[in-house]
Amino acid sequence: MGFIEIIKAIIYGIVEGITEWLPVSSTGHLILLNDIMPMKVSAEFWSMFLVVIQLGAITAVVVYFWNKIWPFNTQVKDKPFIRYDVLNLWCKIIVACIPAAIVGILFDDWIDEHLYNSVVVAIMLIVVGVAFIFIETKNQGFAPRVTSLRQLTYKDALIIGLFQLISAILPGTSRSGSTIIGGLLIGVDRKTAAEFTFCMAVPVMAGASLLKILKFGSPLGFMEFIILIIGCVVAFLVSFVCIKFLMDYVKKHDFKIFGYYRIALGIVVLLYFFLLKK
């Protein structure tokens, strides 16, 4: 490992930062990238890197949405110290995260072994792409029932959390893709669905990263540590830009373009692995 692996870590960080928040599946893209440009690291480190690099993306969410997710008032003296609306939001986030947390703890190793491959990724890219196009077409002309995070109910949060469970099991689904689809199906507008998706990602991805670090067991080597830090820093910088882009984008546009992209990429991947790699 050396300079070339550091360059690869930068590329992986860029891909993670772009695809984590756009509904196109970051894990799917990283798995595909590893098939094309594998990192020369141990299988154990790669499995951990694939998840822990998301810490950079999480940090970008925390920074970008700080005023929405920080539950304490430290600036305005004439307002209560505790922001109860934000605490209520965090309670909804916890409810939404329970299904994925249970499945992740119980079946993490089995999912890694049997489902983290390019064929599953390609199929789920196509399936979720079709779902985006269908749902956005179906919802044309319908006024959303929920237009802000405060209007989300605990039932809404749990349903969105169940959709997140799909992405926890099937790589290529996209965490943001599946949860945004869940939100759209139950009448949440695009902006609110995206915001709740980003907030949900903080405990889920932090927990998944901690689980992977604990399972990794052995201490990181110097180059492994450098690769991980570089990947996370690059993912943070790129994620911040992409979050801003998506929040501006959903104000005027639907998600169909991401559906078409997913279908096209899924088809290319299937052709590549069934034809060119034979």
Side-chain angles (χ1 to χ4, degrees):
M1 283 192 299
F3 179 73
I4 297 300
E5 300 310 306
I6 291 176
I7 297 298
K8 290 179 183 179
I10 294 173
I11 295 172
Y12 276 75
I14 293 172
V15 173
E16 162 65 22
I18 293 173
T19 60
E20 183 62 53
W21 307 117
L22 303 184
V24 294
S25 176
S26 63
T27 301
H29 278 74
L30 291 178
I31 291 175
L32 298 175
L33 184 59
N34 187 56
D35 279 314
I36 299 169
M37 188 185 66
M39 296 185 73
K40 294 181 180 179
V41 296
S42 67
E44 293 78 13
F45 176 79
W46 166 247
S47 178
M48 185 265 289
F49 176 84
L50 190 65
V51 176
V52 178
I53 192 177
Q54 296 173 339
L55 285 175
I58 297 172
T59 308
V61 169
V62 173
V63 172
Y64 190 89
F65 289 104
W66 180 258
N67 290 332
K68 288 182 178 288
I69 65 176
W70 181 245
F72 304 108
N73 174 34
T74 57
Q75 296 179 340
V76 184
K77 294 183 179 180
D78 58 344
K79 290 187 177 181
F81 177 67
I82 298 177
R83 300 170 62 192
Y84 290 101
D85 58 329
V86 178
L87 285 180
N88 189 39
L89 171 63
W90 275 108
C91 289
K92 294 172 185 176
I93 291 170
I94 291 171
V95 168
C97 291
I98 289 174
I102 293 173
V103 170
I105 292 171
L106 294 178
F107 302 105
D108 180 63
D109 291 336
W110 187 92
I111 292 170
D112 277 357
E113 181 179 354
H114 294 89
L115 297 177
Y116 270 59
N117 60 73
S118 300
V119 174
V120 173
V121 168
I123 292 172
M124 294 313 301
L125 281 169
I126 294 171
V127 169
V128 176
V130 171
F132 262 125
I133 296 169
F134 174 79
I135 293 167
E136 286 286 20
T137 301
K138 179 176 175 292
N139 283 357
Q140 286 180 351
F142 284 88
R145 174 178 57 86
V146 177
T147 57
S148 71
L149 290 174
R150 289 188 179 186
Q151 292 179 328
L152 277 173
T153 66
Y154 282 91
K155 180 181 178 181
D156 294 333
L158 181 58
I159 292 173
I160 294 173
L162 291 173
F163 274 87
Q164 179 177 239
L165 181 58
I166 301 173
S167 68
I169 297 172
L170 297 169
T173 302
S174 168
R175 181 181 295 105
S176 60
S178 59
T179 52
I180 289 172
I181 283 176
L184 294 177
L185 282 173
I186 61 175
V188 181
D189 72 353
R190 298 184 191 98
K191 179 176 178 292
T192 304
E195 287 181 343
F196 191 66
T197 291
F198 295 157
C199 293
M200 283 174 60
V202 175
V204 169
M205 291 162 62
S209 298
L210 178 61
L211 182 63
K212 287 293 185 183
I213 292 172
L214 292 175
K215 286 186 175 183
F216 184 65
S218 59
L220 286 173
F222 176 74
M223 281 306 301
E224 290 177 333
F225 177 76
I226 294 298
I227 287 171
L228 191 60
I229 292 299
I230 289 175
C232 287
V233 170
V234 174
F236 165 78
L237 296 173
V238 177
S239 286
F240 193 87
V241 174
C242 284
I243 292 170
K244 187 178 187 309
F245 162 77
L246 187 62
M247 295 312 301
D248 290 336
Y249 178 87
V250 296
K251 293 176 183 178
K252 298 179 180 180
H253 306 87
D254 60 27
F255 289 104
K256 285 184 181 180
I257 186 64
F258 298 111
Y260 292 124
Y261 169 79
R262 293 178 63 101
I263 293 170
L265 180 62
I267 292 172
V268 169
V269 171
L270 286 176
L271 291 174
Y272 174 74
F273 282 98
F274 283 110
L275 297 179
L276 298 183
K277 293 200 75 173
K278 284 189 175 182

